[in-house]
Each structure stands twice: as C-alpha cells, then as structure tokens.
C-alpha cells in the first residue's frame, strides 16, 4: 500500500489562474497523487489531500428541504440564480446542495441527461477554453488537486456532449459564487453524495 503523503502547503496556488500567482505565465502542474486502487481507501486518502474550506453558513450545507415541483423524483434541477442544486425526492421534498455556477456570459441553461459518471476524472480542457487560456495544460491527471474534483457527471443532449459537467472542485471556498466557465461545481463530498444517488440517464434541468 502506498505511503500516506503529507498535504502540500501550496496546493491551492498550484491551480490558481496565473494572473493571481505572482504574474506567472503558465499554470504549474501538481505532482501525481499517491496511488491507491479505486475504492473507499482512495476516496478517504485523496480527500485528505484535497483543498478544504470550513463551511460556517448553514445555507451552504447539504440538506433536505420542501421543494414542490412538477419534475419527477430523481430529477436534478440546477437553480442558477440561487446557486443551488436540487435532487427531487418524493412527497414534495428535495436534497439541496450548494454549488458554484458559470460566470456572466459563461453559464448554460436547458435540459440534458447524465451521459457518463466518473470518479476522480482527468481534466481535459475543451478547445474553446484552451483558446481563451493557452497557459492551461491540455490534460491533468485525476486526483485531489484536479479542478474536476472527486466526481463528475457528464451532461448530454440527444446523445451529444454539451461540454458541461456537474463536478467537484479544488476551490471549495468559492462554492456559492458565479466563478466557473459554465460547469456546475460542488463540494467534493456533495459531488460524491449526488454521484451515488443518480444513475446514468438522469434528467438534469438547468434554470
């Protein structure tokens, strides 16, 4: 079994946009994480290495709320203006999660379905993002410092990839803000919880 690694003190800076880190012109790529086979042990150890933020606002805690809707139980609803994600449950209830959403001009709305689900996925910035930010790596191995975080749900419309995801984050301190390039970011623990609750094919409505 791999030895436990110490949390690097500069892990947040490793993936901060270059204009925020001493004027650097390229994004530093973090070292590969310690190897663990997929499973609970990897989740446990990599979460220890992932950036964390203390959540003091009760409104940012995952919780069951009253949520009357015409959508069927099992549907995921992203309320962009609220910066909340709802997983519709029976009897007028829903599991509510705090999220970060797209910056102005980068958000997306519509109806899609969960096409794929991955644990600790690699990050492959799309061509459009690389054109805007040529300093980004073309691929970043999955792990605790990866911007996609611990889990990702890939959204498709009529079988075509929308390029939008619901995923974890390496910037938990920004949950509840409009900061992403369009994807829906969740706390890693919340992304893992949602991942376990929704199957492939789940309807996703982004308002």
């Amino acid at each position: 079994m791999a030895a436990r690694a110490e949390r690097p003190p500069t892990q947040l800076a490793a993936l901060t946009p270059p204009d925020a880190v001493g004027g650097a012109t390229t994004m530093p790529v973090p070292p590969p994480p310690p190897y663990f086979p997929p499973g609970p042990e990897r989740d446990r150890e990599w979460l220890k290495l992932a950036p964390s933020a203390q959540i003091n606002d009760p409104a940012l805690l995952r919780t069951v709320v009253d949520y009357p809707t015409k959508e069927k139980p099992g549907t995921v609803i992203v309320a962009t203006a609220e910066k909340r994600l709802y997983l519709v449950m029976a009897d007028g209830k829903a599991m509510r999660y705090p999220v970060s959403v797209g910056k102005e001009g980068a958000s997306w709305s519509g109806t899609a379905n969960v096409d794929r689900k991955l644990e600790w996925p690699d990050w492959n910035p799309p061509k459009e993002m690389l054109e805007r930010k040529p300093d980004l790596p073309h691929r970043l191995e999955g792990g605790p410092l990866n911007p996609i975080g611990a889990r990702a749900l890939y959204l498709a419309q009529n079988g075509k990839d929308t390029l939008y995801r619901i995923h974890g984050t390496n910037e938990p301190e920004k949950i509840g803000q409009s900061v992403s390039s369009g994807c829906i970011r969740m706390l890693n623990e919340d992304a893992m919880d949602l991942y376990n609750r929704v199957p492939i094919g789940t309807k996703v409505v982004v308002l």
Side-chain angles (χ1 to χ4, degrees):
M1 183 173 62
R4 180 178 298 176
E6 296 297 326
R7 180 191 291 256
T10 58
Q11 58 184 330
L12 282 176
L15 288 169
T16 301
D19 57 357
V21 187
T25 57
T26 58
M27 172 182 275
V29 177
Y35 174 77
F36 294 94
E41 183 183 24
R42 182 176 72 173
D43 286 342
R44 184 173 60 252
E45 296 301 324
W46 281 11
L47 281 175
K48 292 178 184 178
L49 297 173
S52 61
Q54 185 172 354
I55 305 299
N56 296 315
D57 184 352
L60 290 179
L61 298 177
R62 180 198 333 151
T63 188
V64 175
V65 297
D66 293 326
Y67 193 73
T69 177
K70 295 180 180 179
E71 297 292 347
K72 296 180 180 179
T75 302
V76 171
I77 299 175
V78 179
T80 302
E82 293 181 47
K83 302 176 182 65
R84 298 292 184 271
L85 181 151
Y86 296 90
L87 175 61
V88 179
M89 304 168 73
D91 302 320
K93 301 288 186 180
M95 183 70 74
R96 185 184 69 190
Y97 305 83
V99 297
S100 293
V101 298
K103 294 177 288 189
E104 184 176 356
S107 60
W108 174 83
S109 62
T111 301
N113 296 91
V114 175
D115 185 59
R116 290 188 295 145
K117 298 169 55 177
L118 293 177
E119 301 183 7
W120 300 103
D122 294 345
W123 181 41
N124 299 283
K127 181 179 69 173
E128 295 80 5
M129 184 179 292
L130 290 171
E131 289 174 351
R132 295 195 309 270
K133 300 180 178 180
D135 57 287
L136 293 177
H138 285 241
R139 176 182 174 274
L140 191 62
E141 181 182 355
L145 302 183
N146 189 299
I148 305 298
R151 299 289 189 273
L153 307 179
Y154 295 74
L155 306 184
Q157 286 181 319
N158 301 317
K160 183 178 179 180
D161 187 1
T162 65
L163 300 181
Y164 290 96
R165 299 29 175 138
I166 299 171
H167 61 78
T169 184
N170 66 345
E171 296 181 314
E173 73 281 1
K174 294 184 179 179
I175 291 295
Q177 302 177 34
S178 300
V179 294
S180 80
S181 295
C183 292
I184 307 302
R185 301 182 189 176
M186 307 180 73
L187 295 169
N188 280 326
E189 292 83 356
D190 286 350
M192 295 166 75
D193 182 84
L194 182 67
Y195 181 98
N196 290 335
R197 293 177 185 269
V198 300
I200 290 175
T202 292
K203 181 180 179 181
V204 179
V205 180
V206 181
L207 304 175

